[in-house]
Amino acid sequence: MALELKVHSVSGDAHMFSMKEADTVLDLKKALFVATGTPLAEQRLIVGTVEPSDMELLGSLPMLGFTLVRRPPEQAAWMKLVQDNAESLRDAPQRVKEDREVVLAAVSKSGQSIEFAAVSLQDDEDVALNAVQNDWRALQFVSESMRQNRRVV
């Protein structure tokens, strides 16, 4: 069955796409790239208040409509870099070490990379939980309050 999807951008532009239920969010992003030229790494598709993963099937999502939010090119570049090599967070500028999305991408790849994150993110429950789930040795780099947090430990 075909899905008729409308994607709105923050600038007010709207694009219509005919997709299959078995297509993924990544398939929709590829179609958006063809239609708008927005690089895949800079695309964030939001459904309601949630950003589904690239591998989620379009047919499984509530059809509330999609909003395209463009990720800044520098953030997209750092996210790619830390996904390829989480240790690259060590050499990142402080503003990148304070970027929650970049740090989440890094700790999802290597939990111990939380060592190089900003102190505020070492004290963020979601970031700490992701890091520890990836590698229990990340506990040594999370804040004291996170080491006392039952969800994290």
Side-chain angles (χ1 to χ4, degrees):
M1 182 172 137
L3 299 172
E4 297 301 319
L5 303 176
K6 192 173 202 175
V7 179
H8 296 273
S9 68
V10 180
S11 65
D13 295 335
H15 299 276
M16 291 294 298
F17 297 94
S18 183
M19 307 291 291
K20 299 179 187 121
E21 287 186 16
D23 286 338
T24 63
V25 171
L26 182 58
D27 294 325
L28 180 56
K29 286 181 175 182
K30 288 175 182 176
L32 269 165
F33 172 71
V34 170
T36 67
T38 304
L40 297 178
E42 294 179 21
Q43 292 182 31
R44 295 181 67 200
L45 283 176
I46 312 296
V47 180
T49 59
V50 176
E51 182 177 5
S53 76
D54 283 350
M55 301 321 299
E56 276 195 66
L57 298 178
L58 294 174
S60 71
L61 298 173
M63 289 300 125
L64 302 173
F66 291 84
T67 303
L68 171 64
V69 178
R70 191 164 183 167
R71 179 176 279 123
E74 181 186 35
Q75 183 187 46
W78 275 103
M79 288 187 68
K80 169 99 173 83
L81 199 57
V82 299
Q83 287 166 345
D84 291 344
N85 176 12
E87 298 299 311
S88 61
L89 189 60
R90 172 193 328 251
D91 301 318
Q94 188 61 32
R95 70 183 175 281
V96 173
K97 294 177 180 186
E98 294 169 351
D99 186 315
R100 190 170 190 272
E101 285 188 73
V102 172
V103 171
L104 275 169
V107 301
S108 294
K109 184 78 173 172
S110 169
Q112 290 192 61
S113 64
I114 196 170
E115 173 184 7
F116 311 116
V119 172
S120 62
L121 293 176
Q122 292 172 346
D123 193 46
D124 180 295
E125 185 177 44
D126 289 334
V127 174
L129 187 58
N130 266 288
V132 172
Q133 284 177 337
N134 182 281
D135 185 342
W136 66 269
R137 296 172 296 181
L139 272 173
Q140 65 187 313
F141 302 117
V142 301
S143 70
E144 182 62 33
S145 65
M146 288 299 106
R147 285 193 290 272
Q148 302 300 320
N149 185 317
R150 289 185 182 267
R151 281 193 65 215
V152 174
V153 178

